[in-house]
Amino acid sequence: MDKATLRAVLKERRAAMSETLRAEKSRSICKKLFEETAGYSVIMAYAPKEPEADTMLFIEQLIAAGKTVVLPIIERETHTLRLSVIEDTKNLECSTFNVPEPISAEIPISGSSVECVVLPMVGFDRRGNRLGYGAGYYDRFLAENQQVKKIGAAFSSQEAERVPSDVFDVRMDEIVTEDEIIRC
């Protein structure tokens, strides 16, 4: 299956989950993410858009624990991510692609400061291949910041037997689902 077809199938599968089930599974993912990132001080996460795994509880836990939490701001023109520290989830505004971003409360930070990144995924396989939305924003960020630990967050139903990968696709070190932590 090519990426576009697989992306459509997995998006449909994810969207078919009830809001209640997504919330329950997201809480389990957040608990595992918090445990997996305990040893890091500067953690980049993503603010979710529907129907992604909801990471807001994870982000709030990190802030409460005194961690430096970084969120991306999508730069559509350059297909890159601009990074900002976030000190309060109330400072997020729906922005590019309906993604919540800290636009009006931006605190710039360099990608080289990030120790660990938690990425959204449309799909994944057990080899660590990640299927994103297709624009390559995270792949470009990861290519420039190879020092970071890469953790994908997704529901177990988003797993594919095989995700096609290109030379520029960056593999995950771990994938966290509601059921397990897959070490790639």
Side-chain angles (χ1 to χ4, degrees):
M1 201 178 298
D2 67 16
K3 282 185 180 183
T5 306
L6 182 59
R7 188 176 287 115
V9 167
L10 294 175
K11 279 176 143 182
E12 189 174 304
R13 192 184 297 170
R14 181 179 64 183
M17 252 191 291
S18 73
E19 195 174 312
T20 304
L21 187 57
R22 267 200 316 272
E24 178 185 316
K25 291 179 179 214
S26 290
R27 281 190 295 278
S28 178
I29 290 169
C30 286
K31 183 177 187 292
K32 288 176 178 64
L33 285 172
F34 189 70
E35 292 165 2
E36 283 301 297
T37 59
Y40 298 97
S41 299
V42 182
I43 302 155
M44 180 173 157
Y46 69 92
K49 66 178 183 176
E50 285 294 325
E52 292 175 334
D54 187 343
T55 54
M56 292 310 286
L57 174 62
F58 168 62
I59 292 167
E60 289 166 356
Q61 289 174 314
L62 291 175
I63 292 169
K67 305 283 185 172
T68 300
V69 182
V70 178
L71 290 181
I73 296 172
I74 299 165
E75 291 284 338
R76 251 183 141 151
E77 303 76 30
T78 59
H79 292 285
T80 59
L81 298 175
R82 190 170 82 232
L83 306 184
S84 175
V85 172
I86 178 170
E87 297 174 335
D88 190 333
T89 57
K90 291 179 182 76
N91 295 332
L92 298 177
E93 302 169 36
C94 213
S95 186
T96 311
F97 306 122
N98 292 322
V99 175
E101 297 176 336
I103 293 171
S104 62
E106 189 173 345
I107 305 168
I109 187 168
S110 167
S112 61
S113 301
V114 175
E115 300 167 334
C116 177
V117 59
V118 175
L119 297 87
M121 299 189 293
V122 172
F124 66 91
D125 66 26
R126 292 197 168 251
R127 290 175 295 285
N129 292 310
R130 170 186 175 268
L131 184 65
Y133 290 94
Y137 289 93
Y138 280 102
D139 288 317
R140 278 186 278 291
F141 169 80
L142 294 171
E144 291 175 15
N145 298 280
Q146 297 179 14
Q147 80 285 358
V148 301
K149 176 160 186 166
K150 299 164 288 302
I151 302 175
F155 301 114
S156 58
S157 62
Q158 293 173 250
E159 182 176 352
E161 187 170 322
R162 184 181 158 279
V163 170
S165 66
D166 297 306
V167 291
F168 52 82
D169 290 328
V170 178
R171 286 188 179 185
M172 300 295 96
D173 297 313
E174 294 179 9
I175 297 165
V176 174
T177 73
E178 73 277 11
D179 296 329
E180 63 184 321
I181 297 167
I182 302 165
R183 309 217 190 268
C184 308

